[in-house]
Amino acid sequence: TSLPGACACVTALTLSGLSTRRFAFEAFLPSDKKLRRKILDSLCTETRTVIIYEAPHHLRATLQELFAALGDRRLTICRELTKIHESAMQFTLSEAIYYYEQNAPKGEYVLVIEGRNMADLEQESQRCYETSSQRPRCPKKGNLSTIIK
């Protein structure tokens, strides 16, 4: 376990096993659909570890949205931090979606999501430049059925 600090985001980050060097704390994603989409699109090229809070009744939908926006990134889902039923489980986004289709979310969640690999982002930017494309995009966006197979 991790010694509780001033906030759940830092506790979750230390438990996650993901990079702790740099992180972006998003708190709860906004409920406004346009603003939410804009934030998710901006996270597509984020190289820092991303931390998001989520309520149990929104978790499944948020995981689907994250998968559609970011692809199948690694994440750690922390639940009920500093309480008796504390847990931290490591998944890919597709594995987390499958898990929570089978298991009802309970408690408050902190999602710690792996940042985009900087070398991959630079290679993609170079390819985009060479082919005069607009901007780098996340790989394997939104195709859950092919990734699960």
Side-chain angles (χ1 to χ4, degrees), residues 15-72:
L15 285 170
S16 73
L18 298 173
S19 175
T20 58
R21 183 176 170 272
R22 297 173 58 233
F23 67 94
F25 177 58
E26 291 293 332
F28 286 95
L29 294 173
S31 57
D32 176 83
K33 289 182 181 181
K34 284 185 180 181
L35 183 55
R36 188 178 182 98
R37 179 83 253 151
K38 188 175 184 177
I39 289 170
L40 288 171
D41 286 345
S42 74
L43 294 177
C44 178
T45 55
E46 180 60 68
T47 58
R48 296 174 292 178
T49 301
V50 177
I51 302 170
I52 297 173
Y53 289 164
E54 194 52 89
H57 56 282
H58 293 298
L59 182 66
R60 289 175 174 153
T62 297
L63 291 171
Q64 291 280 355
E65 288 176 299
L66 288 167
F67 179 82
L70 308 178
D72 204 21

